[in-house]
Every structure is written in structure tokens, then in C-alpha cells.
Amino acid sequence: MTPTEPLARNTAAATAVRPPLPVKMVIAGGFGVGKTTAVGAISEIEPLTTEASITEVAAGVDDLTHTPRKTTTTVAMDFGCLTIDPTLKLYLFGTPGQERFGFMWDDIVEGAVGGLVIVDTRRLDDCYAAVDYFEHKDIPFAVAVNAFDGRVEHTLEEVRWALDVSAGVPVVVFDAREQGSVRDALLVVLELALARAGS
């Protein structure tokens, strides 16, 4: 062995490609706002979903007025992942939207760096619980207004006022069906979480 061989091995080990840092992010919101759709649109793997058929009993509890074609609902969580760059990989956890599944939220959110709260401006009151949850837990989050049928019912300032979120909470418009749009919304949350960590 020459004197340079150990040095070469150490240099190779130092420059070896490290696996990306795993980062957990939560996608939350009310019933039927587009959480499962968003995870499916952005995930680089086949997303894991826990969808169940909406029964007649559930249809009597869950408001299907604005989602008449919805036939399934998330009963535990959605899961997907997205590699942001060689150093960072997001693991996405979508919460169930109905209040009766709220007992699962603490487990789903544990260890998350931030959350994306999806809202449907036709029924803003459905997302109050998610907004309150992240505020109470002091977890960085952004509000993402899902543009159903390509439009929103209220301006972003009206949404901010209605939800009573602070100026430090970003409020953006996105389309849960579009990969690039979902990515941009998630990056807003990631930047917020990084800024919080660095302060």
C-alpha cells in the first residue's frame, strides 16, 4: 500500500453521495378539499392512501354539497414522497378531513417541520380546525387555497381575514391536481420552516 492510498480512500468516502435528508411535512384541511389529490399529484412513488367508500351513513354526516362526485374518503392518512434535490426528501402525510378522525392528528403530525392547510373558499369553515391545530401546536404552516374549477370565491386577503391568520402565515392559491403547483406550495412551507429553524 502506498502512502497516498489511505488518503485517496478517505477523500472518496468524504465525497461519496449521502442519502437525502428526510423531512416530514403534513397536508391537512377539511373534508374533500383536495388533500389526497395533492399527495397523488406530487408523489414520486405510488401514493399510499386509505380511502374508503362513502356510505349512506357517512353521506348524512359529511357535507357533499360542493363535492357531489366524491365517492371515497380518507379514513387514516395519505402518504407520498418527493425528492426536492439530492440533499432533501419530503415525506408527505395527508390527514383525514373529518373531525371524527381528529384523534389521529397528533400521531400523524409528530416530527413534522410544517404543514400545508388546504382550503376550499366555498366552505372556509371546514378548515378552521386545521388552522387552529397548527397555531396551537406552534408548527409553521401555510394556507393553500385550492382553485376548484380554476377559480376561487374570495381574494387571498379575504381568506386571511376570514381565517384570522397572522401576517407571518403565507396564503397562496394552488391547484391540487397540478404537480408544479403543489410543489410550489410545499416549497413555501419548507422555506417557512427553514426560516423558523434558523431564527
Side-chain angles (χ1 to χ4, degrees):
M1 180 185 304
T2 67
T4 58
E5 284 180 0
L7 177 62
R9 281 201 301 273
N10 290 339
T11 302
T15 59
V17 177
R18 293 182 177 169
L21 178 69
V23 174
K24 182 178 183 179
M25 192 172 293
V26 174
I27 297 179
F31 170 75
V33 295
K35 300 180 297 296
T36 300
T37 300
V39 172
I42 196 67
S43 180
E44 63 194 19
I45 62 168
E46 185 68 28
L48 168 67
T49 62
T50 54
E51 294 284 288
S53 296
I54 296 176
T55 63
E56 287 185 22
V57 172
V61 175
D62 300 321
D63 183 4
L64 299 174
T65 305
H66 294 288
T67 55
R69 294 186 300 273
K70 187 170 178 61
T71 59
T72 62
T73 186
T74 301
V75 294
M77 68 175 187
D78 300 314
F79 173 78
C81 64
L82 169 67
T83 302
I84 299 293
D85 62 34
T87 67
L88 190 64
K89 187 167 191 170
L90 291 184
Y91 288 92
L92 308 171
F93 291 78
T95 64
Q98 301 94 324
E99 287 187 32
R100 63 184 178 276
F101 297 124
F103 66 92
M104 294 185 226
W105 277 48
D106 284 344
D107 290 332
I108 294 172
V109 172
E110 185 177 356
V113 299
L116 185 69
V117 176
I118 301 178
V119 304
D120 178 352
T121 55
R122 300 169 299 182
R123 45 198 177 94
L124 283 172
D125 55 337
D126 287 356
C127 73
Y128 290 152
V131 169
D132 289 346
Y133 183 89
F134 285 101
E135 286 180 337
H136 178 70
K137 294 288 187 179
D138 196 29
I139 298 172
F141 73 99
V143 172
V145 178
N146 196 359
F148 283 90
D149 300 321
R151 61 191 180 87
V152 294
E153 299 288 324
H154 304 285
T155 68
L156 296 185
E157 281 310 307
E158 289 171 335
V159 171
R160 179 182 297 283
W161 178 84
L163 298 180
D164 193 27
V165 292
S166 71
V169 176
V171 180
V172 299
V173 174
F174 88 129
D175 187 330
R177 302 166 300 178
E178 297 293 330
Q179 182 182 38
S181 188
V182 176
R183 180 202 61 224
D184 291 347
L186 291 172
L187 288 177
V188 168
V189 178
L190 186 59
E191 288 172 8
L192 191 66
L194 291 173
R196 171 83 69 92
S199 62

